[in-house]
Amino acid sequence: MNEKPRIAEYFSEVETVKEHNGYFCDMGEVLALVILGSLCGLRNVNQIHQWASSARVGAFLAEHFGIRKIPCYYWLLCLLKLIDPKSLSRCFTRWAQSLSPGGVDGMTLA
């Protein structure tokens, strides 16, 4: 049985506008965390951080998405500010295409 890549893997190639060596978080996991929180209806980074920091959600994220480290609120904001928007768009499109058997393009979404 082929296992589908985890959501964070689709965002592992996202580029940043500055180097971020030394952070203990993987940028793909940070983006997956934000996307999952947004899909749960959370409206801002503070809500997403509070949600992800709860023990129950943290255990769920680790088990189902491989996200084991939740950055503090400050680092979450800092990491999000480093993301190159064009790179994020490419990665997000690739992830969205993986969700649809026939693929997704601009005309499909319209």
Side-chain angles (χ1 to χ4, degrees):
M1 182 176 187
N2 291 339
E3 186 175 323
K4 289 199 172 236
R6 295 186 187 271
I7 186 173
E9 291 175 28
Y10 288 100
F11 296 95
S12 63
E13 296 176 15
V14 74
E15 297 169 12
T16 56
V17 295
K18 284 193 207 173
E19 190 62 38
H20 66 92
N21 287 340
Y23 295 170
F24 72 92
C25 297
D26 175 74
M27 190 64 81
E29 289 182 6
V30 167
L31 288 168
L33 177 68
V34 171
I35 289 168
L36 292 168
S38 297
L39 290 172
C40 289
L42 303 172
R43 296 177 184 236
N44 58 52
V45 177
N46 186 41
Q47 289 178 348
I48 291 170
H49 181 263
Q50 288 178 0
W51 166 78
S53 296
S54 74
R56 183 175 172 206
V57 173
F60 180 83
L61 292 171
E63 180 181 345
H64 295 284
F65 296 98
I67 301 172
R68 303 198 185 298
K69 295 180 181 176
I70 307 299
C72 71
Y73 175 72
Y74 174 77
W75 281 118
L76 183 57
L77 283 176
C78 288
L79 290 169
L80 292 174
K81 290 178 184 179
L82 293 176
I83 296 169
D84 175 58
K86 289 180 183 178
S87 173
L88 176 59
S89 178
R90 285 190 302 271
C91 292
F92 193 87
T93 300
R94 190 178 62 185
W95 172 64
Q97 287 173 335
S98 76
L99 299 176
S100 174
V104 175
D105 59 28
M107 296 303 287
T108 305
L109 296 174

